[in-house]
Amino acid sequence: MQTELERQLPLTEPTFFILLSLLPSQRHGYAIMKEVAALSGGRLSLGTGTLYGALKRLCEQTWIERVDDAEEDEQGRPRKAYRLTELGRRILEAEIGRLQTLVRAAELSSAGGAL
Amino acid sequence: MSRALRAALLGYAALLRLYPPPFRRAFGAEMLEVFAAALSDAAGRSTGALLWLCARELHELPGNLLREYHALWFARPPRLHPTFPSGGGLFMDESVPARSLLNLRPVYAGLVGGMAAAAALFLALCGALPLLGVPGWSVAPLALAGLGRLLVLLLPLVAGYCAACWGWFRDARGALCAGALAGALTGLVAWLLVGSAGAGVLGQAELLRYGARQAPTGTMLGLLSESVAGIVWATHLSFWVLAGLGAALGGLGGWQAARMVSGGLLLITDTRLFFGLTALVCVALSLTLRPTAAQQLTSIASRLRSGADYLLLAWPVCAVLVKLGVTAATSSLVSGPIALMGVLTNGNDPLNPTVPGIVQTLIGAQLAATLVLVLIPLLLLFCSSVYGALYRRWSAPHGLGWGLG
């Protein structure tokens, strides 16, 4: 199963930040957009088309799921929110682990160079 | 909300209509709501932020549209009946019961590919035909003709690949058949639009080389018989070369597409490597298809027909008939009717050929080719419908197959 997960890596930057934004709790579209901008330090700013294209694909891959939020929209319908699935959580953890390995390798290498 | 914001929102709502309907239905309302929220936030900050937001949406729009339409056209539907195998080839995957039996997507891919291949073939022939017919006369730069030859080889491959992906074929057999069908259709359409006419000119190379001048009766009859037999031969050859090569390359493309489905089907599992290698093979092939190679083929064809030439000296009219008869008898389903139509519509007096007479003969032959080409796909579609219906009835699990559970 680990191999299956590893085949999905590395994640693209928007995918990684979208999954990361959903890690603490479920969010609706605009909240994801703002959280992605905040997490990336303002470097990554997703347009609505790009955001929803990515959300659609992540839903199809069952990494996230679309649920009804407690809030209602202007028409009185429940707003849609997105939350991580178990598979999405595992993939995100695997990606974080991969990035940590890279950082450790870079730190070791730069420490060796400094010596 | 200010008038400018309302206008921006209306503009965005109009742009949303460009997205594919399924995507718009699922996410359109949400996207509009999110854009409205982002618009209000940006307007609260500055006019620059507002403009930047609108510019970003416009900048991202083409890429997003392309991605969503690509996903819509090439997406595979959810598998509803995983145990039921695909019919393959012309048939819809039976795991999608809502769709019709006949899968026309490979046909569409083949037709579109064929039109592109016809344009490429025209480029290639522009470089080759004048050299064959009238030495020293070249109307197309050699590089352009080479590019045409390369595209003629690559387009059936791409058509086959697209047909297999677009037609939602999951197993290797279905993808291979769909690819081969699309590739063959690509070749057929290219042949119909350009190849047959080119072959007609190629077949008259001897006559063209002789030029418009007075000829003794024997020579003229010889040239005429050579010309008519040459047209049939070249048309026959070009039909099977284009259809066969198209089917083979299309099948290869479809086979590669199947790798996406089952995984590990091919030795070359990297799509980029596969297409890179195929492109190299196509370049090599296109380099061998130079005018001189075509001239060699023509001379081989002439030698094959030369068995009947001695009759020309003894009894010219009989020689013409024998040549036509032998060629028609040994020719294919396509070139047979073309030869027959060419003879029936022949408006030439053998001793005094005229341009309108030659044109009439050529139009007749072309008409026959067109009729045959229309009939062949219809016949294929009919046969495949019958086979598909029987396949579904005999192989389908309970509840499928004409509804006779």
Side-chain angles (χ1 to χ4, degrees):
Chain A
M1 192 60 198
Q2 188 60 29
T3 317
E4 268 304 304
L5 282 182
E6 282 171 357
R7 280 176 61 184
Q8 311 290 341
L9 306 181
L11 301 180
T12 61
E13 203 174 10
T15 303
F16 175 72
F17 278 116
I18 289 171
L19 294 181
L20 200 60
S21 71
L22 295 174
L23 191 58
S25 64
Q26 67 181 43
R27 290 177 200 275
H28 51 80
Y30 190 49
I32 297 173
M33 195 188 269
K34 286 202 292 190
E35 185 67 11
V36 166
L39 284 170
S40 64
R43 193 169 48 79
L44 187 65
S45 176
L46 299 175
T48 44
T50 309
L51 173 70
Y52 277 91
L55 289 176
K56 175 184 153 244
R57 274 179 288 284
L58 291 174
C59 283
E60 284 168 354
Q61 289 169 300
T62 66
W63 293 6
I64 64 172
E65 58 190 353
R66 202 177 184 206
V67 292
D68 287 340
D69 203 6
E71 293 177 44
E72 290 183 345
D73 64 10
E74 287 170 359
Q75 276 81 39
R77 292 171 303 199
R79 292 178 81 178
K80 297 290 179 190
Y82 298 86
R83 73 175 170 211
L84 270 184
T85 61
E86 190 49 41
L87 175 64
R89 192 177 296 274
R90 285 213 306 270
I91 285 172
L92 182 61
E93 282 165 2
E95 176 69 355
I96 291 171
R98 190 186 70 85
L99 292 174
Q100 281 172 339
T101 311
L102 290 181
V103 170
R104 270 199 301 274
E107 281 172 352
L108 277 173
S109 177
S110 58
L115 285 172
Chain B
M1 188 181 278
S2 75
R3 191 177 293 174
L5 291 192
R6 265 203 303 275
L9 210 53
L10 278 176
Y12 188 75
L15 288 179
L16 276 179
R17 298 200 66 78
L18 297 176
Y19 280 95
F23 181 84
R24 205 172 59 229
R25 278 194 293 273
F27 298 103
E30 253 184 273
M31 287 169 75
L32 195 61
E33 195 184 322
V34 167
F35 183 72
L39 212 57
S40 297
D41 269 11
R45 287 201 300 277
S46 66
T47 312
L50 191 66
L51 289 176
W52 183 83
L53 179 75
C54 294
R56 184 188 65 187
E57 292 296 337
L58 283 175
H59 172 253
E60 290 180 356
L61 184 71
N64 290 331
L65 288 180
L66 200 65
R67 201 161 32 240
E68 293 312 323
Y69 276 102
H70 180 270
L72 177 74
W73 289 329
F74 290 93
R76 292 165 193 282
R79 193 159 194 161
L80 304 178
H81 300 281
T83 54
F84 191 54
S86 160
L90 277 173
F91 318 114
M92 264 300 169
D93 194 323
E94 289 84 351
S95 64
V96 190
R99 304 195 74 87
S100 65
L101 177 70
L102 204 61
N103 188 351
L104 285 176
R105 289 187 167 199
V107 177
Y108 297 146
L111 291 178
V112 173
M115 282 184 240
L121 190 62
F122 180 74
L123 281 182
L125 289 180
C126 274
L129 280 178
L131 289 178
L132 290 165
V134 184
W137 179 36
S138 177
V139 293
L142 281 179
L144 207 57
L147 177 70
R149 287 196 296 271
L150 180 64
L151 285 176
V152 167
L153 290 167
L154 278 177
L155 281 166
L157 186 89
V158 173
Y161 183 85
C162 291
C165 290
W166 193 33
W168 298 337
F169 292 98
R170 292 195 185 84
D171 63 350
R173 186 185 58 154
L176 189 72
C177 290
L181 175 72
L185 271 176
T186 301
L188 284 178
V189 172
W191 179 82
L192 177 65
L193 294 179
V194 173
S196 56
V201 177
L202 182 70
Q204 298 178 83
E206 286 296 322
L207 198 62
L208 288 171
R209 281 199 195 99
Y210 189 82
R213 56 194 163 98
Q214 199 75 31
T217 307
T219 310
M220 189 193 68
L221 280 173
L223 284 172
L224 273 179
S225 65
E226 188 64 34
S227 177
V228 174
I231 289 172
V232 176
W233 171 268
T235 312
H236 178 201
L237 193 71
S238 63
F239 173 82
W240 286 111
V241 165
L242 281 174
L245 195 67
L249 287 170
L252 196 64
W255 194 27
Q256 173 63 18
R259 190 196 61 80
M260 292 163 47
V261 181
S262 52
L265 186 72
L266 283 180
L267 290 176
I268 306 169
T269 52
D270 186 342
T271 309
R272 282 168 301 183
L273 182 63
F274 172 80
F275 278 109
L277 284 176
T278 314
L280 278 179
V281 171
C282 288
V283 168
L285 268 176
S286 70
L287 287 176
T288 62
L289 293 176
R290 286 166 306 181
T292 48
Q295 268 175 327
Q296 282 164 3
L297 267 178
T298 311
S299 68
I300 290 169
S302 298
R303 277 201 290 276
L304 284 174
R305 291 196 305 273
S306 65
D309 276 351
Y310 72 95
L311 283 172
L312 193 66
L313 301 171
W315 198 3
V317 179
C318 176
V320 173
L321 291 176
V322 167
K323 269 194 171 185
L324 283 179
V326 168
T327 314
T330 55
S331 63
S332 65
L333 179 69
V334 174
S335 57
I338 293 171
L340 188 64
M341 202 72 170
V343 172
L344 289 177
T345 58
N346 187 4
N348 283 311
D349 175 359
L351 297 177
N352 188 23
T354 58
V355 173
I358 292 170
V359 170
Q360 185 187 333
T361 308
L362 287 176
I363 288 175
Q366 193 62 39
L367 190 68
T370 310
L371 278 175
V372 168
L373 267 192
V374 170
L375 285 177
I376 285 177
L378 284 179
L379 192 69
L380 271 175
L381 292 179
F382 174 74
C383 293
S384 64
S385 308
V386 172
Y387 171 74
L390 293 175
Y391 181 90
R392 277 171 69 108
R393 189 173 189 199
W394 291 333
S395 312
H398 299 297
L400 284 177
W402 294 340
L404 304 172

